[in-house]
Amino acid sequence: MNLRTILVGTLLGSLSMVASAQNDWKASATEVKANHPLVQQFQGCVSAVGLNVELPLLEKAPKLDPKATYLRLNDVGRIRDGYIHTLYVSQDQKTMYIIQAGGLAGTQKMFGPLDAAMKCPKNPDAK
């Protein structure tokens, strides 16, 4: 085995470990918990086609705490390239973001920080 093969293998292994660690939040928010108060509060802000309200886009994604609470806000339903939105709530419940993942190219964006007093539309289709 030559040095180049060893370096490439080491690099690819490191990259996959980083990608895995960054996506651990996805596994913890696999279903919508419709009865959770924060899900009820924020799920009207999002849908499978995107945001239903204007939210500030974070230019640089902050480091996410794996011990934080991750609440899935929606499912994509029958929309093939829809978005899944996950609410990130820090352990001290002072910081909240919405993570948008999916779409045509499988992009990920983060919106926030969100105000705990924020109200989302109850019936977003009737804007």
Side-chain angles (χ1 to χ4, degrees):
M1 189 179 299
N2 65 27
L3 181 59
R4 182 177 177 194
T5 304
I6 293 170
L7 289 174
V8 169
T10 303
L11 178 63
L12 291 176
S14 298
L15 289 175
S16 68
M17 286 173 39
V18 169
S20 173
Q22 289 177 341
N23 290 323
D24 282 346
W25 64 268
K26 290 180 182 178
S28 65
T30 57
E31 65 181 58
V32 177
K33 295 183 173 130
N35 292 333
H36 193 287
L38 289 173
V39 172
Q40 291 177 350
Q41 179 180 352
F42 288 102
Q43 76 181 160
C45 290
V46 300
S47 72
V49 294
L51 299 177
N52 294 328
V53 297
E54 295 260 340
L55 295 175
L57 175 65
L58 292 171
E59 294 296 323
K60 183 178 178 190
K63 184 176 181 193
L64 299 179
D65 180 358
K67 294 180 182 176
T69 301
Y70 296 86
L71 300 166
R72 185 140 159 205
L73 297 175
N74 72 300
D75 289 316
V76 295
R78 294 180 178 214
I79 299 174
R80 178 173 291 187
D81 294 321
Y83 293 105
I84 291 176
H85 296 87
T86 302
L87 182 66
Y88 167 89
V89 184
S90 64
Q91 288 188 60
D92 63 6
Q93 297 188 347
K94 292 183 179 180
T95 306
M96 293 187 288
Y97 303 111
I98 289 180
I99 305 165
Q100 176 181 280
L104 288 173
T107 61
Q108 181 175 308
K109 294 179 183 177
M110 291 185 72
F111 300 93
L114 305 174
D115 182 351
M118 180 179 175
K119 302 289 183 205
C120 294
K122 293 288 182 197
N123 186 0
D125 296 330
K127 291 188 240 182

